[in-house]
Amino acid sequence: MLISRHRWLTAAGLSVTIAAASLAGGGSVSAVVGETVDPSVHAFTARVNVGTPGIGHGCSGALVAASWVLTSRACLSVAGVPAATGAPAQPTTVTAGRTVDVAWVVPHPDRDVALLRTVSPLNEVTPVALATAAPSAGDVLQVVGYGRTATMWVPDRKHLGTVSVTSVGATTIDVVGTDPDTTVTCRGDLGGPTLREVNGSVQLVGIHLSSSQHGCLDAPETSARGAVETRVDDLAGWIRQNSAPVLVRDFNGDGKSDIIGRYTDGVLRLYTGNGTGGINSGYTTVATSWANMSELFSPGDFNGDGKPDIIGRYTDGVLRLYTGNGTGGINPGYTTVATAWTNMSELFSPGDFNGDGKPDIIGRYSDGTLRLYTGNGTGGINPGYTTVATSWANMSELF
């Protein structure tokens, strides 16, 4: 366990008593002490649960884009092993209005910050605005959390409190409660949002890092009163870059849709889009010897790593997934998605067709029946299918 001059806020609660509104949240995470408020207040505040419910641990976070939650990198550590880019080491969920699984983790290289990508977007919640300037000493900020309070292990609602900035460092913000005798943050509030109000709206300036835990339930008695927040105002560019929506066919990661062409000799070439309705000069060879596939299409990001992929159907009906590397190429190897898909006259992907945030596949049968096969978000398809339409045999092509 990492130790600063304050205790880490992991797997328990955050407490801040204030005279204004307060938020309360439940789970195996911390919460800010104070009066509870309506769930619609700072609805972007997320509960993060890592591991098996009741056995794992929890933290807090903030929704910064429809499918991305910002929290502490340390929250994702398992048995002392730091979080790495990729699927979470243990099953992880976030709750912001509703609970969704986490598919991907992007830790910051040198700050206690990580982005979590959910398997489906939380479109019903407005993400928090990102600050682009640091607070100053004397500023009053709001802190929100979902964990332990002075009297409860697992509050069922989030709490909100206010703190005053005592100093601002290169990567951290030192704060104390606006009432010096009150608790600031407790175990489990790690990663919760620190907010600055500007003209009636709030901006995310930091996330909870550590605290003295004075007054927290079952915490050792201490005379210390302060807490430390991780600055994120200077990470707005990194957050936006890593939480940008994945374009269905942006194969080289430049934010512009591209085209891949297969030649009769099986060579795949990438033609990059210029973002204004045209393509750039030249091409890149993506692969060779791909002539033995009867059909190729891109469903977008089919395995949940944030990079567009390619699916090929072979003449024997086997579907194989070739994952994109995000820089214009494909990774070695493949995954078999399905077999015996020879009785479909055409396959294509409309992207996310059923609204669950995961790309799907539609197959057209010789009698004109269209069937939807939903993707599971991790490179496979769910059991069963849904009939989308019938009598679509008189169309030469679908896409």
Side-chain angles (χ1 to χ4, degrees):
M1 177 180 294
L2 296 173
I3 299 293
S4 72
R5 61 193 174 115
H6 302 298
R7 296 177 181 272
W8 280 93
L9 309 176
T10 53
L14 175 159
S15 282
V16 181
T17 303
I18 59 167
S22 300
L23 304 173
S28 57
V29 291
S30 311
V32 180
V33 170
E35 298 177 6
T36 60
V37 296
D38 188 89
S40 63
V41 177
H42 300 337
F44 50 74
T45 306
R47 183 200 311 269
V48 181
N49 284 302
V50 180
T52 304
I55 300 176
H57 65 272
C59 305
S60 299
L63 189 74
V64 294
S67 297
W68 293 89
V69 168
L70 188 72
T71 188
S72 161
R73 182 177 61 187
C75 180
L76 283 299
S77 299
V78 176
V81 179
T85 299
Q90 290 188 331
T92 302
T93 63
V94 298
T95 302
R98 58 187 172 90
T99 300
V100 291
D101 291 335
V102 171
W104 203 252
V105 178
V106 182
H108 192 273
D110 53 26
R111 204 169 299 185
D112 187 42
V113 169
L115 282 164
L116 310 180
R117 186 171 63 79
T118 59
V119 297
S120 58
L122 294 162
N123 291 321
E124 62 273 28
V125 179
T126 301
V128 63
L130 302 176
T132 56
S136 301
D139 286 355
V140 174
L141 307 176
Q142 300 177 25
V143 289
V144 191
Y146 258 115
R148 189 186 307 181
T149 69
T151 58
M152 298 179 65
W153 283 101
V154 184
D156 59 358
R157 297 178 66 181
K158 60 182 178 277
H159 294 69
L160 175 150
T162 57
V163 295
S164 179
V165 177
T166 57
S167 64
V168 179
T171 60
T172 58
I173 308 165
D174 289 340
V175 299
V176 294
T178 50
D179 180 347
D181 292 328
T182 62
T183 302
V184 179
T185 51
C186 298
R187 290 173 58 88
D189 286 312
L190 185 65
T194 310
L195 308 168
R196 173 173 56 202
E197 186 170 348
V198 179
N199 298 325
S201 300
V202 294
Q203 301 174 344
L204 184 70
V205 297
I207 59 175
H208 311 321
L209 174 62
S210 59
S211 168
S212 65
Q213 297 191 63
H214 166 75
C216 300
L217 184 63
D218 201 41
E221 183 55 39
T222 175
S223 60
R225 296 291 190 272
V228 180
E229 312 297 296
T230 298
R231 281 182 57 185
V232 300
D233 60 275
D234 58 335
L235 299 183
W238 179 84
I239 293 170
R240 291 191 179 101
Q241 178 183 357
N242 286 281
S243 63
V246 178
L247 294 179
V248 171
R249 291 177 177 85
D250 173 23
F251 284 95
N252 66 339
D254 66 354
K256 304 165 188 174
S257 293
D258 307 311
I259 298 173
I260 289 182
R262 178 173 60 160
Y263 288 74
T264 54
D265 60 359
V267 172
L268 255 62
R269 290 177 178 169
L270 171 68
Y271 298 85
T272 59
N274 62 14
T276 59
I279 56 175
N280 298 309
S281 58
Y283 61 82
T284 302
T285 297
V286 177
T288 58
S289 303
W290 278 39
N292 56 347
M293 301 177 199
S294 61
E295 200 159 7
L296 280 176
F297 60 94
S298 175
D301 174 22
F302 203 67
N303 68 336
D305 67 353
K307 304 164 188 173
D309 306 312
I310 299 173
I311 290 180
R313 177 170 63 160
Y314 287 74
T315 54
D316 60 359
V318 172
L319 250 65
R320 290 177 178 170
L321 172 67
Y322 297 86
T323 59
N325 62 14
T327 58
I330 56 175
N331 297 310
Y334 61 82
T335 302
T336 298
V337 178
T339 58
W341 278 39
T342 54
N343 54 349
M344 301 173 198
S345 60
E346 186 177 1
L347 288 175
F348 69 98
S349 175
D352 173 22
F353 200 67
N354 67 339
D356 66 353
K358 307 165 190 173
D360 306 311
I361 298 172
I362 289 181
R364 179 169 62 165
Y365 288 73
S366 56
D367 63 356
T369 298
L370 257 61
R371 290 177 177 170
L372 171 68
Y373 298 85
T374 59
N376 62 14
T378 58
I381 55 175
N382 297 310
Y385 61 83
T386 302
T387 297
V388 176
T390 57
S391 303
W392 279 43
N394 56 346
M395 300 178 196
S396 61
E397 193 169 3
L398 295 173
F399 51 90

